[in-house]
Amino acid sequence: MNWTWFHRLGSPPSFYRFAGRLAPWLGGFGLLLLAYGWYAGLVLAPPDYQQKDAFRIIYVHVPAAAVSLSLYVLMAVAGAVALIWRMKLAEAVMVATAPVGASFTALALVTGMLWGKPMWGAYWVWDARLTSELVLLFLYCGVIGLHAAFDDARAGARACALLAIVGLVNVPIVHFSVEWWNSLHQGSTVLKFGRPAISADMARPLYAGLLATYCLCAHAILRRAQNELLLRERNTRWVRELATELGGGARVS
Amino acid sequence: MKALAAIFARELRLAARAKAEWLMPPLFFVIVVTVFSFGTKPNDPQLAAFAPAVLWVGALLAALLSLERLYRTDQEDGTLEQLLVSRTALSFAVFVKGLAHWLLSGLPIVLLAAPLGLMLGLAPPHLGPLVLGLALGTPCLSFIGGFVAALTVGLPRGGALLPVLVLPLIVPVVIFGAGSVRAAQQGLDAGAPLYFLAAILTLTLTLLPWLAAAALRNAFE
Amino acid sequence: MSPEFWKMGGYALYVWGSFGIAAGIYLWNLIAPRLRRRAILETLLDDE
């Protein structure tokens, strides 16, 4: 197998150009798909027979929750790559993922609360999924805070990578422990909802929303990774050339 | 082995010199628990229901109090750099430091927990799970906290960052630790959560010194 | 759109609240990196 493409992509200037070409497509496609998903979810999909119109929150809640977990795994994997192969690009991706993931974790929590109030009668229930999501938000915040505290970007990124990896082991343990904790007092049957097979009219917008959210996250991460590379490599030739090239056109757009 | 014994002895000798440093966490623990009782109405029978949570949060706060110093003084006087360049495996040195930290801040809390539990109205048969849980859980606090202290060593704002990073990581320890007491209070088996705590302890003892050593090396590169 | 649509069967606050906050988060994720990039490039140009 030929690995040159990989090494080429791993070098900051070529990744910067690659991300610059890919990101607009991801962003545009994601926005279009999201517009369809939300329109179909809010207008075309019929109300649920059990939850009526409140079920439509699924179209923002589920993508946010899915992305919050996936991005955490991505962050930890990028962190592991950064630690093992000392790859600058993986560090930049890891640092770029944290704020995006944190924002969607917060969204999943808030929409979960807004969904919980009409359905369970309470904004917050200490069940395993909600609590794990909350701990996930704390972990994201920890990574962001730790990175901000370091002056040296590389040492900061590697410290964050270690924290992210420990957190990755922590999340399933938290999930399991809260499940055990809930089993201590019986009768949390409020949470038991029948899970009927979801009809195609309801499922299609959900899948569209999921894909759209992944595209938009990828867009945001690529853009943030670009920023991180610009900052870190500000004294190298390619960044200086890029800056003067963009500055030559008077304003930076 | 000799080097590790020397590190251990040094930790204890330093602690013996600075008595205020290691007397503070247990005192803090006692004060937190007492102040909590003042927050409820006098002789509230419900206090016993909250006792496990209060004692565990108190233990946690007391451990946090002393964690920030774990590597900071060593970093200031250059001991840490000596450890990094020495032939002793850094992860073992970190392990020994964690052990010394537990001996000085965790063990007193384990010993104090039983009388404080009685003060909070905990029934004597429930003290067993409490003390056993703390005996298994406080080393987890020392080692998880030690890892985070290694991450933040030398950072100007490390002290404020430490609790924020430690707290989400010790959620399962608190759940199982306080849960074992509550299980006993409800007449359930207190053994299961204690086994889970033991599993978490094994995991932290084997993995975290190694990761903490990586964090220390990273901080000095 | 009919007024029925905006009422969401009585769940308007929850549904529109969720979608409103979601719109905010998605927009922030699109705009924040762009603003930061502009700020970085400006400081880079100032350095020269």
Side-chain angles (χ1 to χ4, degrees):
Chain A
M1 184 148 177
N2 190 353
W3 284 94
T4 42
W5 64 270
F6 184 75
H7 291 296
R8 203 175 302 140
L9 195 60
S11 93
S14 43
F15 174 82
Y16 188 92
R17 272 190 293 277
F18 169 76
R21 273 203 298 273
L22 188 61
W25 289 101
L26 280 170
F29 178 68
L31 271 180
L32 279 177
L33 204 59
L34 189 73
Y36 161 74
W38 282 16
Y39 175 72
L42 285 168
V43 181
L44 302 182
D48 184 69
Y49 79 100
Q50 211 175 13
Q51 306 194 10
K52 303 284 177 287
D53 282 312
F55 98 97
R56 298 184 197 280
I57 298 174
I58 201 175
Y59 297 121
V60 287
H61 177 69
V62 168
V67 153
S68 70
L69 275 175
S70 311
L71 290 190
Y72 194 86
V73 175
L74 171 69
M75 187 169 81
V77 169
V81 172
L83 281 175
I84 297 167
W85 288 291
R86 315 219 139 210
M87 202 172 154
K88 272 186 205 161
L89 180 59
E91 288 171 15
V93 168
M94 193 201 76
V95 170
T97 309
V100 182
S103 72
F104 279 99
T105 313
L107 178 61
L109 278 170
V110 173
T111 54
M113 287 171 81
L114 285 172
W115 200 1
K117 181 63 184 166
M119 290 301 112
W120 306 332
Y123 281 111
W124 187 263
V125 180
W126 289 96
D127 88 315
R129 272 188 291 180
L130 280 171
T131 315
S132 315
E133 197 75 12
L134 187 62
V135 168
L136 200 64
L137 181 62
F138 293 155
L139 287 170
Y140 273 124
C141 291
V143 169
I144 295 169
L146 187 61
H147 184 255
F150 272 88
D151 288 328
D152 177 33
R154 295 211 72 182
R158 278 200 295 271
C160 288
L162 286 168
L163 182 66
I165 290 165
V166 172
L168 189 67
V169 179
N170 186 52
V171 169
I173 301 179
V174 169
H175 190 94
F176 171 74
S177 64
V178 177
E179 260 175 16
W180 174 85
W181 181 51
N182 267 312
S183 70
L184 259 188
H185 35 196
Q186 272 98 40
S188 62
T189 41
V190 240
L191 296 179
K192 297 280 181 291
F193 254 110
R195 199 174 274 198
I198 189 165
S199 79
D201 284 351
M202 290 179 178
R204 222 175 291 119
L206 184 60
Y207 293 137
L210 268 170
L211 186 59
T213 309
Y214 274 103
C215 287
L216 289 171
C217 281
H219 169 88
I221 290 168
L222 285 177
R223 286 295 189 211
R224 278 177 187 276
Q226 277 188 313
N227 289 344
E228 184 68 22
L229 288 177
L230 277 183
L231 258 187
R232 286 177 176 216
E233 311 254 303
R234 58 177 163 263
N235 295 322
T236 60
R237 229 180 75 200
W238 73 270
V239 173
R240 295 197 166 276
E241 281 172 5
L242 192 81
T244 43
E245 188 186 310
L246 290 169
R251 289 259 39 102
V252 185
S253 62
Chain B
M1 207 56 226
K2 234 164 118 188
L4 295 179
I7 296 171
F8 192 68
R10 176 177 174 275
E11 289 290 313
L12 296 188
R13 220 176 303 127
L14 281 177
R17 262 180 232 153
K19 286 196 184 62
E21 298 278 5
W22 62 271
L23 280 174
M24 229 23 105
L27 188 63
F28 182 78
F29 177 59
V30 175
I31 290 171
V32 166
V33 173
T34 326
V35 167
F36 186 90
S37 320
F38 291 134
T40 62
K41 61 179 188 226
N43 305 317
D44 191 343
Q46 290 218 302
L47 203 54
F50 287 110
V54 175
L55 289 165
W56 268 91
V57 170
L60 185 59
L61 294 177
L64 281 178
L65 201 63
S66 54
L67 273 171
E68 201 229 332
R69 291 184 48 259
L70 187 59
Y71 293 109
R72 206 193 51 212
T73 44
D74 281 355
Q75 191 226 355
E76 279 164 1
D77 65 13
T79 318
L80 209 52
E81 271 151 324
Q82 295 298 319
L83 276 180
L84 279 161
V85 296
S86 77
R87 282 189 296 126
T88 327
L90 187 59
S91 45
F92 283 106
V94 166
F95 183 87
V96 168
K97 275 191 72 79
L99 211 61
H101 177 265
W102 176 74
L103 209 64
L104 291 168
S105 78
L107 195 59
I109 285 168
V110 176
L111 298 175
L112 280 170
L116 284 174
L118 288 173
M119 274 169 69
L120 290 175
L122 220 55
H126 302 150
L127 291 178
L130 175 73
V131 173
L132 216 58
L134 279 168
L136 290 168
T138 43
C140 294
L141 302 182
S142 288
F143 279 86
I144 294 173
F147 163 68
V148 175
L151 279 181
T152 54
V153 69
L155 290 182
R157 278 165 295 162
L161 206 54
L162 190 83
V164 180
L165 301 184
V166 171
L167 293 181
L169 294 177
I170 49 80
V171 168
V173 177
V174 173
I175 289 180
F176 287 128
S180 73
V181 186
R182 290 199 307 125
Q185 282 175 333
Q186 295 180 14
L188 301 170
D189 179 25
L194 291 177
Y195 283 123
F196 286 130
L197 263 187
I200 294 175
L201 176 62
T202 320
L203 199 68
T204 46
L205 285 184
T206 44
L207 290 181
L208 283 181
W210 184 62
L211 288 169
L216 285 177
R217 258 187 228 107
N218 177 43
F220 278 88
E221 244 168 43
Chain C
M1 292 289 156
S2 66
E4 275 309 300
F5 171 73
W6 294 109
K7 275 188 201 149
M8 278 289 155
Y11 294 117
L13 178 68
Y14 305 110
V15 174
W16 294 117
S18 297
F19 275 81
I21 293 162
I25 296 278
Y26 280 94
L27 268 180
W28 177 78
N29 271 306
L30 283 175
I31 292 168
R34 192 153 305 178
L35 294 179
R36 179 138 166 76
R37 176 158 174 260
R38 200 169 297 183
I40 292 171
L41 284 174
E42 251 156 43
T43 51
L44 284 179
L45 285 174
D46 286 347
D47 286 350
E48 268 161 37

